[in-house]
Amino acid sequence: MKTAVYPGSFDPITCGHLDILKRGNEMFDQIKVVLFTNTSKKPLFTIEERMDMIRQSVTDLANIEVDCYEGLVVDYMKKYNHRFLLRGLRSISDFESEFQMASMNKKMYPEVESVFLMTSHEHAYVSSSLIREIIRFNGSVQGMVPEYVHQKLVEKIKGMNR
Ligand code: ADP
């Protein structure tokens, strides 16, 4: 059984993430979407909120598991004996940081195989950080995130402005 780990901060999950997941789903028997909580980024959503949004966004996809982990991606992968690490690429700058990370992961865990899927052009400009920025200033992010996530973003901003 070929399992891929798709790690990220998913703050929040976007249509770009989902596109990578759907396409990855055709290549692997199972994908584990793993929310990593140890980034230096200050998240807008809590771990529970992000996990919930991921779960609600993948209900129509088979063979997707959702998990979270505090620690290194390679440690998670070693723990469950997974070899394939799925990531998406949008730009040259993504390539540079992903190349560095893939090399570092290989050094720490030689069995790891990083697999990259190029973004679909309609999602090339979508990033969680831009979504957060736009919503903060009441811009529309409709079509860039699943409808459930859109509602959660609107609620979150209303709560922050109260
Ligand atoms: P991280 O903090 O690890 O970069 P993200 O949640 O921002 O976590 O992204 C997780 C993965 O999804 C990364 O490989 C990123 O390049 C990819 N990704 C994010 N947005 C898109 C998109 N619009 N198209 C393709 N891949 C994407």
Side-chain angles (χ1 to χ4, degrees):
M1 167 130 152
K2 274 203 169 78
T3 299
V5 172
Y6 182 34
S9 31
F10 305 106
D11 187 33
I13 189 163
T14 68
C15 292
H17 290 127
L18 278 178
D19 175 62
I20 297 291
L21 259 179
K22 282 179 190 152
R23 288 159 57 208
N25 215 7
E26 289 172 17
M27 301 164 61
F28 295 98
D29 302 309
Q30 184 195 39
I31 298 188
K32 282 170 110 177
V33 186
V34 186
L35 172 60
F36 278 80
T37 60
N38 53 322
T39 64
S40 47
K41 303 172 188 169
K42 191 183 171 324
L44 176 65
F45 289 100
T46 65
I47 296 167
E48 291 71 27
E49 288 170 332
R50 283 181 278 162
M51 298 274 287
D52 170 58
M53 285 186 284
I54 298 171
R55 287 211 174 89
Q56 294 296 329
S57 305
V58 300
T59 47
D60 59 336
L61 295 177
N63 309 315
I64 306 279
E65 241 189 65
V66 183
D67 201 359
C68 74
Y69 190 72
E70 189 176 358
L72 298 175
V73 176
V74 286
D75 287 340
Y76 180 89
M77 296 183 72
K78 281 181 196 168
K79 182 175 170 192
Y80 295 103
N81 215 8
H82 296 319
R83 284 188 55 214
F84 300 105
L85 200 169
L86 180 64
R87 296 284 286 177
L89 283 179
R90 282 161 297 185
S91 58
I92 298 286
S93 59
D94 267 0
F95 175 81
E96 282 177 2
S97 55
E98 294 290 339
F99 181 62
Q100 186 182 22
M101 206 144 53
S103 309
M104 186 57 90
N105 285 336
K106 190 94 188 158
K107 178 88 186 151
M108 294 187 286
Y109 180 30
E111 288 82 3
V112 77
E113 210 52 77
S114 297
V115 177
F116 297 95
L117 287 182
M118 209 66 85
T119 183
S120 301
H121 67 92
E122 65 268 36
H123 302 301
Y125 59 92
V126 176
S127 73
S128 301
S129 57
L130 268 182
I131 298 285
R132 294 195 302 271
E133 195 68 14
I134 294 169
I135 207 84
R136 262 190 193 116
F137 295 100
N138 293 315
S140 169
V141 295
Q142 215 133 23
M144 300 179 211
V145 291
E147 191 41 45
Y148 182 79
V149 175
H150 186 248
Q151 284 169 23
K152 294 287 162 190
L153 276 162
V154 171
E155 281 169 24
K156 176 67 83 179
I157 292 307
K158 268 194 195 145
M160 285 167 71
N161 292 340
R162 220 169 262 152

